Each structure stands twice: as C-alpha cells, then as structure tokens.
Amino acid sequence: MHLDSKKIFYHDATPLLIAVDCIIFGFHDGELKLLLFKRKIEPFKDKWSIIGSFIKKEESVKSAASRVLKKHAGLQNIFMEPLGCFGDVERDPGARVISQAFFALIRIGQDEIKTVNTHQAKWFDLDLIPELILDHNQMVNEALEKLRRKTRYSPLGFELLPKKFTIPQLQKLYEEIYQKKLDARNFRKKILAMNIMIKLDEKDKTSSKKGAFLYSFNQKKYEKMMDKGINFLL
Amino acid sequence: MHLDSKKIFYHDATPLLIAVDCIIFGFHDGELKLLLFKRKIEPFKDKWSIIGSFIKKEESVKSAASRVLKKHAGLQNIFMEPLGCFGDVERDPGARVISQAFFALIRIGQDEIKTVNTHQAKWFDLDLIPELILDHNQMVNEALEKLRRKTRYSPLGFELLPKKFTIPQLQKLYEEIYQKKLDARNFRKKILAMNIMIKLDEKDKTSSKKGAFLYSFNQKKYEKMMDKGINFLL
DNA sequence: TCAAAAGTGTTCAAGTTACACCCATGT
DNA sequence: ACATGGGTGTAACTTGAACACTTTTGA
C-alpha cells in the first residue's frame, strides 16, 4: 500500500453519521406483526420507532445490525437481510444521518414475548401501525413490500413459524402476508409437491380436535431442489 | 426541536466515510456490456474500477450517485436504482469506507461512446471483466444477478435499447441477459400480448435486407396494464 | 437467384384454478 | 351427537414449449 497516496485520495472527504435500523416482523396467533420500540432518549423521546443504532468504526454494517438485534431486542441467530439505504439530507432533523435499513424475521416464542417487556417494545398488528419517527413508516412499508415479494419465490415464510408447524398454520401465514384467502387443497398440493418439508409423527391439537400433523422445513431438501433448477414458488 | 437533547443523543457516534459506487450496464451491437474506469489517483492508480465518489454532507445518497454519473461519466437522466450497501470493515485497506452501490442502465449512443474516451473509461464484455479494485467484482456480480432477476418481471430491458427498437433487437437483449436462446415466435407472441409497445411505420434495415419494424415502449400502456393487476413477465 | 433475417399458427404438455365431501375427535 | 377444523381428487381452463415454412429484398 502507498500510504501517502491514500491520504491524498481520502483527505477531502467528509465523514458522516451512519446508522442501521431494523424492521422486525413476527407471526403469532395467526397474525403478522411488527415489533416497535418506545424511544428512550431525546429527540422524539417516547415516540414509537423501529430499533437502530449508529455504526461503530470497528464493526461491519451487518454486525452493527446483529448487535442492535441482540442488545436492544434480545434477539440472536435470526433471519436478517439488508433492505435499503435511506439517505435524504433532511431525513433526520437532528443531524445528517444516513441509515441502512435491515429486515428481520423471527419466530415469536416465550423468550420473544419476554423480550418485549424488558426492552420497552410492543408487537403491532400491521393495520394498526402508529406514526413513527423520521422516515420509519416508509422503511416499514418498503419492508412489507419486500416481504410480500420475496415470500413468493423463497422459503422465507418458514423463518416466521416455529420449527414444527402445521400446514394450516403455514397457509394462515401466507394468507396474512398476501392479505387474501387461499384454497386449502391447492395450497397443500403445491407446498407438498415441492418436497421441502418433513412430515413428523406428531400432531398439534391446539386449534382443532382432530389435530393437524406437524411438519418441519428441510433446508437440505430445499437446496437439492434449487440445485436441480426447480424454484420455490407460491 | 430540542436542540440540547439532540446533542446528548448524537454526541458519542463516530462519523464514517461513506461513498457511492455505480455499476453501469449498456447494450451495443447485440452485446451486454459493463462500463469500467481506469482510476486516476492512488491508491490503485490505473487499476480498473467502477466509478464512485464520497458522499457530501449537503447531498442525498441518491444525488451523490447522480452527481457521479454526470460528472465522472457524462451521463444524465438515465435509469438508476440502489443495489445495496457494502460495509465490511476491511473492504477498503485505505480507510473505513462504507459504500452504497447503485445500478444504472443506459442506451449506448454516439454521446455515450464519446464519454468513454473523455473519461478514461472502457466498455467490457461481461465475460471479459478484469480484476477490479476492492470488492467491486462482487458488486458487479450482485448487479448482474439483480439485472437478471428484475428484467423478468419489470420492463427494465427497454432502458438499454434505443427509443426505437425492433423485436429481434429486444430478443437479442434478453438472450444476452439470460445467456440462452429464445424462440422467436414465442418471444414475439408474449411481448406483443402485453400490449406495451407501439408499432411504428418505420423499418430498421441495418441488420437485414427485408428490414424489421421499429417499436417504441409505451410507459402509459405499461402503467395501465399494471393498474389492471396484470404483470410484466418474460 | 440466392442468402439472410423477419414474420407467422398450431399442437401438446404442464400448471393453475375452482370446487364439495368425509374424517377424527373433544365436549 | 354434533360442531370444528383437517384432510383429500378431479375436471376445466390457462399458460408455456416445441416446432417449419413463407416473405422480402439487397447484392
């Protein structure tokens, strides 16, 4: 490396504040939900917002997002991917801040319900999302669009369900995402034809007397299917 | 606004260098091409790279990308959209720099050919892309994936063709993007069925004696089609 | 007159949609 | 015994894929 030249190249650039913000979706009791946080500090104290943090010099953008999810929401090893960059000059009246938004999907279990209380957070129904600070409503809208688009052609939906789930649960999830009723026979046929789930010897009886068989998603079978050039498509 | 509180909230954040980088695709003589630039300054002087610049405090991320396209490549009013954020700590050995990549499509005409010379740039065939600086090869690969994905379900391809184009030209473009031969009858049938192009009373005779009718893309018809819930799909 | 690209329909297979009844079980 | 959600097959329709010949015209 030519250290001197490097300085010549970089010296007139202005460093800026850059943050990550995480849009977190969950699915519980047949409802698709968004996790929002009550801001603890000024400005906008006590307003609802998605969770975020400034990026530190010694961490990657992605690790910043992981840190936020872990530290501020108690979430670890969950599905997460970049959504987009929000970079208008005036988006944050407090300072020039560029934000990289991330999009996370979680299985809502007992732990995640506790999380909500210890972090001043709340799960919101998608049609009851309050006004959020800055451009956070726009971020949420874009995240929702991405969720709707991407769940059609990749098995993202499984990230929102427990490891063991029933076909009616899976169908309900898709109905929530697409906001429309699906035909039970066709749905079943299609998803089973892909051969990416393992039928377990257990039934879930929480929502019917007969009980519905539990399945688990099989990542390996999914990858095999992809290798053969067959695509997930719902 | 509570100016004091704002300061409390933002004072411990570290500003970082943030750049935009633009991946520029073009189509000429039946070939899909990538525009690369010979870097004028150290470090990595004279290596091939995609074009970029640091973001200034008084411009949005998007305007930074527009500025780069205009100033460094002489391009204006072209299709451009965000590709993704590249934020590894060590991606640039010169400093911690986060980069927001953009993806641009242009019609290669006479002006664009001049541009190439005045800006030390060169159009590269996609299978002859040289080694680029930093993570630029990765950016290009992701841009290509996006191009392939997105041209299937949105009429992005038209951005790469002249305003007036023939159906064989359009087909050639898609064959280049997907790297496979398409059936001329089926292609024609499908694209015409969408009813989003206007047939002109002119023929292009540059590639055959018989000549092929020229068409133009009709944005309004396309929007009408979308409104009706019919999607572009090739 | 011939070479070279433009333009045109039909058939078959595959996939998608619509639709109605029996099953298992807890109360 | 009955109410509730789980589970199953078939027929009509739509869409995608395969395939070969005629037309035009400049050289």
Side-chain angles (χ1 to χ4, degrees):
Chain A
M1 291 301 309
H2 309 260
L3 265 180
D4 292 348
S5 331
K6 233 183 309 178
K7 278 178 191 158
I8 291 167
F9 184 56
Y10 295 176
H11 80 278
D12 60 346
T14 316
L16 299 174
L17 288 177
I18 170 157
V20 287
D21 285 301
C22 300
I23 296 102
I24 305 168
F25 292 111
F27 182 67
H28 194 52
D29 287 336
E31 306 257 11
L32 192 58
K33 301 194 173 179
L34 174 70
L35 189 58
L36 294 175
F37 294 77
K38 202 162 245 184
R39 190 137 134 157
K40 291 173 199 154
I41 15 176
E42 295 290 353
F44 307 116
K45 186 164 187 291
D46 291 332
K47 301 278 182 199
W48 290 108
S49 83
I50 55 176
I51 194 75
S53 166
F54 287 105
I55 297 175
K56 298 178 180 177
K57 188 158 187 175
E58 67 281 4
E59 69 186 352
S60 71
V61 175
K62 200 175 164 187
S63 3
S66 301
R67 172 173 58 79
V68 166
L69 288 169
K70 185 175 174 187
K71 186 170 164 199
H72 298 283
L75 300 166
Q76 229 169 330
N77 301 319
I78 64 173
F79 177 89
M80 179 193 83
E81 69 171 41
L83 171 67
C85 180
F86 291 74
D88 283 354
V89 178
E90 303 295 345
R91 60 176 288 279
D92 187 333
R96 174 70 205 281
V97 181
I98 291 168
S99 170
Q100 170 64 31
F102 279 78
F103 162 99
L105 303 179
I106 73 167
R107 311 173 208 282
I108 306 182
Q110 289 315 305
D111 292 357
E112 288 71 23
I113 289 166
K114 265 182 235 155
T115 289
V116 164
N117 300 323
T118 52
H119 292 87
Q120 297 236 47
K122 193 179 157 192
W123 286 104
F124 282 80
D125 219 277
L126 287 188
D127 39 292
L128 296 171
I129 295 170
E131 194 185 326
L132 306 176
I133 63 166
L134 311 183
D135 49 7
H136 288 194
N137 285 98
Q138 192 195 337
M139 290 182 179
V140 168
N141 289 338
E142 291 192 20
L144 250 175
E145 276 173 37
K146 186 174 182 123
L147 179 66
R148 296 202 164 110
R149 203 170 347 105
K150 221 168 161 182
T151 44
R152 294 200 86 87
Y153 62 86
S154 80
L156 229 79
F158 299 110
E159 302 292 337
L160 288 161
L161 290 174
K163 292 282 185 192
K164 296 174 180 182
F165 55 87
T166 67
I167 292 183
Q169 270 168 30
L170 184 63
Q171 181 179 342
K172 190 83 210 315
L173 169 62
Y174 277 94
E175 288 177 340
E176 276 289 304
I177 294 175
Y178 303 144
Q179 291 287 301
K180 73 171 189 185
K181 283 275 165 205
L182 301 175
D183 179 283
R185 274 176 292 191
N186 293 339
F187 181 81
R188 198 174 268 277
K189 211 190 306 173
K190 212 165 179 177
I191 198 86
L192 287 175
M194 288 188 216
N195 196 31
I196 53 173
M197 307 190 319
I198 299 167
K199 186 176 185 175
L200 305 175
D201 242 358
E202 273 173 275
K203 279 191 166 189
D204 172 300
K205 296 203 168 187
T206 54
S207 67
S208 82
K209 289 153 187 171
K210 183 178 178 182
F213 276 104
L214 286 161
Y215 287 78
S216 66
F217 175 61
N218 188 335
Q219 184 69 31
K220 280 187 187 164
K221 280 189 172 186
Y222 171 66
E223 281 160 16
K224 264 188 199 165
M225 181 183 95
M226 295 294 279
D227 288 348
K228 280 188 220 156
I230 305 164
N231 294 316
F232 184 95
L233 194 62
L234 266 180
Chain B
M1 290 303 310
H2 310 260
L3 266 180
D4 293 348
S5 330
K6 234 183 307 178
K7 278 179 190 157
I8 291 168
F9 184 56
Y10 295 172
H11 80 278
D12 60 347
T14 316
L16 300 173
L17 288 177
I18 170 156
V20 287
D21 285 301
C22 300
I23 296 102
I24 305 167
F25 292 111
F27 183 68
H28 194 50
D29 286 336
E31 306 259 10
L32 193 58
K33 301 194 174 181
L34 174 70
L35 189 58
L36 294 175
F37 295 77
K38 202 163 245 187
R39 190 137 135 157
K40 292 173 199 153
I41 16 176
E42 296 288 354
F44 306 116
K45 186 164 187 291
D46 291 332
K47 300 280 181 199
W48 290 107
S49 82
I50 55 175
I51 193 75
S53 167
F54 288 105
I55 298 174
K56 298 179 179 175
K57 188 157 188 176
E58 66 282 2
E59 69 186 352
S60 72
V61 174
K62 201 176 163 186
S63 4
S66 301
R67 172 174 56 81
V68 165
L69 287 169
K70 186 175 174 186
K71 187 171 164 198
H72 298 283
L75 300 167
Q76 229 170 330
N77 301 320
I78 64 173
F79 177 89
M80 180 193 82
E81 69 171 40
L83 171 68
C85 180
F86 291 74
D88 282 355
V89 178
E90 303 295 347
R91 61 176 286 279
D92 187 332
R96 174 70 205 281
V97 181
I98 291 168
S99 170
Q100 171 65 30
F102 280 78
F103 163 99
L105 302 179
I106 73 167
R107 310 173 209 282
I108 306 182
Q110 289 315 306
D111 291 357
E112 288 71 23
I113 288 166
K114 266 183 235 151
T115 289
V116 163
N117 301 321
T118 53
H119 292 86
Q120 298 236 47
K122 194 181 158 190
W123 286 105
F124 282 80
D125 219 278
L126 288 188
D127 40 292
L128 297 170
I129 295 171
E131 194 185 326
L132 307 175
I133 62 166
L134 311 182
D135 48 8
H136 287 194
N137 284 98
Q138 193 195 336
M139 290 181 179
V140 169
N141 289 338
E142 291 191 20
L144 250 175
E145 276 173 38
K146 187 176 182 124
L147 179 66
R148 297 203 163 109
R149 206 174 340 110
K150 219 166 165 184
T151 43
R152 295 200 85 88
Y153 62 85
S154 81
L156 228 75
F158 299 110
E159 301 293 337
L160 289 160
L161 290 174
K163 293 280 185 194
K164 296 173 179 182
F165 54 87
T166 67
I167 292 183
Q169 270 167 30
L170 184 62
Q171 181 180 341
K172 189 83 212 316
L173 170 62
Y174 277 94
E175 288 177 341
E176 276 289 304
I177 295 175
Y178 303 144
Q179 290 288 298
K180 73 170 188 186
K181 284 273 164 207
L182 300 174
D183 179 282
R185 275 176 292 192
N186 292 338
F187 182 81
R188 200 173 266 276
K189 212 187 308 171
K190 212 164 179 177
I191 198 87
L192 287 175
M194 288 188 216
N195 196 31
I196 51 174
M197 308 190 318
I198 299 167
K199 186 175 186 174
L200 305 175
D201 242 358
E202 273 174 274
K203 279 192 165 187
D204 173 299
K205 296 202 168 188
T206 55
S207 68
S208 81
K209 289 153 188 172
K210 183 179 180 183
F213 277 104
L214 285 162
Y215 288 78
S216 67
F217 175 61
N218 189 333
Q219 184 71 31
K220 280 187 188 164
K221 280 190 172 185
Y222 170 66
E223 281 159 15
K224 264 188 199 163
M225 182 182 95
M226 295 293 280
D227 289 347
K228 282 188 218 154
I230 304 164
N231 293 316
F232 184 96
L233 194 62
L234 268 180

